[in-house]
Amino acid sequence: MANVLRNSAKFGFSGVLSQLSIHSRHGRECVSPCFSLQQRNNSTSPKIKVDLDNSTGVAVLRMQSPPVNSLSLDFLTEFCINLEKLEMDKSCRGLIITSVSTHTHTHTDTDTVTQSHKTMIHTITPPVCVVSQTLSKVSSTGLDIITLPVCVCVCVCLVSQTLSKVFSAGLDIMEMYGKSPERCGEFWKAVQEMWLKLYGSNMATIAAINGSSPAGGCLMSIGCDYRIMADNPRYSIGLNETQLGIVAPFWFKDTLVNTVGNRAAELSLELGLLYSAPDALKIGLVDQLVPEDQVLSTAQDTMSKWLAVPDHARQITKSMMRKQTIDKLLSNREADITNFVSFITKDSIQRSLRMYLEMLKSRKA
Ligand SMILES: CCCCC/C=C\CCCC/C=C/C(=O)SCCNC(=O)CCNC(=O)[C@H](O)C(C)(C)COP(=O)(O)OP(=O)(O)OC[C@H]1O[C@@H](n2cnc3c(N)ncnc32)[C@H](O)[C@@H]1OP(=O)(O)O
C-alpha cells in the first residue's frame, strides 16, 4: 500500500491538474467557471462528482461523463485526482463508486447546442438570448451535407445530457484507435494509475453498479472491495476484451482471478464473457443484486458494516490480500506500457478495433 501511495505521489496534484481536460471527446468545452462551480457543489471535476459526508466519513463518487462513462485519458486523470484527494483526507474512510443517470454541464459565453437524441436543452437561465438558426454541417464522411436545427445561446445556459444506462463502458476505444505510440503510452500509464490507486486504496471501496460494466468498467468494479449490482436484465458485466480482438493484460487477469477464482476467470477471459447480473452473482463477480433504485442505499448500508471494522485491521488485511498482485505491476510498469503500445498499434489490432467501433455504431443504426 505504501508503495502505491509513494508511486502516486509522482502523479502530483500540479501535474495532474495541468492535464485536466479542456475538450471532451464530444467536443464540449469545460471552461474554468464550470470547474469553480463544481467545487462549490462539493464536486472536484467536470466528469466526476464527489460528495463526502463528513458525519459518516463516506464519499460517493459519481461518474458523469456522457454518453457512456468511457475511460478516456481526461476521465482517468480526473478519477485519479479525486481518489488521491480522498485518500489524503483523513476524515474519509469509505468510498462508493457509481454512475449518475443525468449529467448537467454548464456552458458560459456564446454556446451552440445541437439538439440530438442524446442532448436536450434543460434550463436556460436569464439573461439569455436564444436565436433559432439552421446549421449546415459536413458529416464525418465528408460527403453529405446535413442540416440540423440549433439554438445559439448567448450568456449562460445549462444543458443536461443523458447518460446511457451504463456504469462504465470501459476504456475509451477512441484512445486506442489511430493514436500515436506516445499518446497510447500516456493513456496506458493513466489506466495503470487508476487501478493501482483503486486496488491499493486504504479506504473501504464499494462499486454501486447501476448499469452495464464491460471490460475496463468491470476492472474498476473488481478493483473495489465489494460489488452491488442493479438486478436489471439489460445490464451486463465482464472482461470481454477477446471479443474485441484484444487481450486483457496480466493485472486485469490477476484481479479477476482474485475475485472469482482461476477456473471461472479462465472461461470468462478466453470467451470474453459478459455476464447478466444473476450469472455474475453466481460466479462471484458481484456480491449482491438489488432492485435498481436501491443500489446506492444498499451500498451505504453495506459501507457502515465495513466501517464497523477497525481501519488498521481492515487495511493491513487488504494489503496482505492484494500486495502481491499490486507489486507485480509496480515492478513491471514500463514493460507493461511497452507491451501495450506495441500490441495496440499493430495493424491487425487497429483493424479489429475499427471493426468493433463500426459494429457499435451500426448496432445503433
Ligand atoms: C499480449 C500483451 C497484451 C498487452 C496489453 C494489450 C492490450 C490492451 C488491452 C486493453 C484492455 C481494454 C479494455 C477495455 O475496456 S476496451 C473497451 C471495451 N468496452 C466495450 O466493449 C463496451 C462497448 N460499448 C457497449 O457495449 C455499449 O456502448 C454499452 C456500454 C453497453 C452501452 O450501450 P448503449 O446505451 O446502447 O450505447 P451505445 O452503444 O449507443 O453507445 C453510445 C456511444 O458511445 C460509444 N461508445 C460505447 N462504448 C465506448 C467505448 N468503450 N469507448 C468509446 N466509445 C464508446 C458508441 O460508439 C456510441 O457512440 P456514437 O453515439 O458516436 O455512435
Side-chain angles (χ1 to χ4, degrees):
M1 262 346 118
N3 262 346
V4 177
L5 290 176
R6 256 199 306 280
N7 208 290
S8 64
K10 289 187 206 153
F11 209 66
F13 283 126
S14 55
V16 264
L17 281 172
S18 69
Q19 293 177 50
L20 262 178
S21 109
I22 296 185
H23 282 274
S24 78
R25 192 170 76 80
H26 300 277
R28 299 198 163 278
E29 281 204 1
C30 171
V31 287
S32 50
C34 161
F35 186 65
S36 53
L37 184 76
Q38 294 278 354
Q39 281 177 320
R40 280 201 299 275
N41 290 343
N42 199 20
S43 290
T44 44
S45 58
K47 294 176 195 304
I48 288 168
K49 183 177 191 307
V50 178
D51 293 299
L52 172 58
D53 181 339
N54 286 312
S55 66
T56 59
V58 178
V60 178
L61 182 154
R62 292 179 175 85
M63 299 182 280
Q64 50 176 25
S65 183
V68 289
N69 283 331
S70 63
L71 309 179
S72 63
L73 179 57
D74 291 345
F75 183 97
L76 290 164
T77 304
E78 291 180 15
F79 187 87
C80 286
I81 294 171
N82 280 297
L83 230 61
E84 203 169 312
K85 280 186 177 172
L86 293 172
E87 202 72 62
M88 291 190 331
D89 183 339
K90 292 284 165 269
S91 70
C92 182
R93 300 172 59 218
L95 171 66
I96 296 170
I97 300 178
T98 193
S99 163
V100 290
S101 54
T102 303
H103 168 71
T104 304
H105 198 101
T106 307
H107 292 258
T108 55
D109 303 327
T110 304
D111 197 357
T112 302
V113 181
T114 304
Q115 289 178 294
S116 76
H117 68 295
K118 288 267 166 73
T119 310
M120 58 184 178
I121 295 180
H122 184 60
T123 315
I124 298 176
T125 313
V128 69
C129 165
V130 180
V131 186
S132 286
Q133 277 195 345
T134 299
L135 175 74
S136 292
K137 185 180 156 198
V138 181
S139 80
S140 55
T141 62
L143 295 174
D144 312 304
I145 304 282
I146 51 172
T147 304
L148 299 169
V150 298
C151 293
V152 177
C153 309
V154 184
C155 298
V156 179
C157 71
L158 293 178
V159 174
S160 167
Q161 192 176 36
T162 311
L163 265 168
S164 298
K165 284 291 197 178
V166 288
F167 177 73
S168 164
L171 303 191
D172 192 323
I173 298 168
M174 299 311 290
E175 295 280 9
M176 301 184 278
Y177 180 67
K179 292 287 190 289
S180 70
E182 293 70 31
R183 169 77 188 200
C184 288
E186 197 188 348
F187 172 63
W188 197 247
K189 191 170 180 187
V191 180
Q192 291 178 337
E193 196 69 30
M194 178 273 285
W195 177 80
L196 287 168
K197 279 189 163 49
L198 186 57
Y199 205 55
S201 174
N202 275 319
M203 295 177 282
T205 52
I206 295 181
I209 308 167
N210 52 349
S212 285
S213 193
C218 176
L219 179 75
M220 190 182 267
S221 304
I222 59 182
C224 292
D225 297 318
Y226 195 80
R227 284 154 287 286
I228 296 161
M229 187 168 181
D231 194 359
N232 182 327
R234 286 170 50 215
Y235 300 161
S236 61
I237 182 167
L239 292 180
N240 61 322
E241 279 78 356
T242 54
Q243 295 282 351
L244 287 71
I246 56 181
V247 180
F250 70 86
W251 41 284
F252 283 46
K253 179 268 294 175
D254 289 343
T255 315
L256 187 65
V257 168
N258 292 350
T259 308
V260 300
N262 204 76
R263 179 59 184 151
E266 190 169 44
L267 284 173
S268 170
L269 287 168
E270 288 185 28
L271 296 172
L273 296 176
L274 282 174
Y275 296 88
S276 66
D279 287 347
L281 181 67
K282 238 177 258 165
I283 66 160
L285 184 55
V286 298
D287 299 294
Q288 201 176 339
L289 300 187
V290 295
E292 184 144 10
D293 60 352
Q294 290 166 31
V295 172
L296 190 56
S297 57
T298 309
Q300 268 151 344
D301 290 348
T302 307
M303 183 61 84
S304 59
K305 291 182 198 142
W306 280 74
L307 296 187
V309 177
D311 280 347
H312 70 281
R314 182 185 50 73
Q315 288 162 355
I316 293 169
T317 306
K318 181 170 175 175
S319 171
M320 199 164 62
M321 298 299 294
R322 299 188 171 190
K323 187 175 183 309
Q324 207 183 355
T325 309
I326 288 171
D327 286 349
K328 198 166 141 192
L329 177 61
L330 283 177
S331 53
N332 287 291
R333 269 191 97 164
E334 284 311 315
D336 184 60
I337 293 173
T338 308
N339 266 345
F340 171 76
V341 173
S342 71
F343 180 83
I344 213 74
T345 54
K346 276 187 204 317
D347 286 348
S348 57
I349 302 301
Q350 288 291 304
R351 274 198 299 277
S352 292
L353 288 177
R354 195 188 65 226
M355 282 164 56
Y356 190 70
L357 278 166
E358 281 167 3
M359 184 277 290
L360 276 179
K361 295 197 187 297
S362 68
R363 199 179 54 166
K364 201 160 95 178

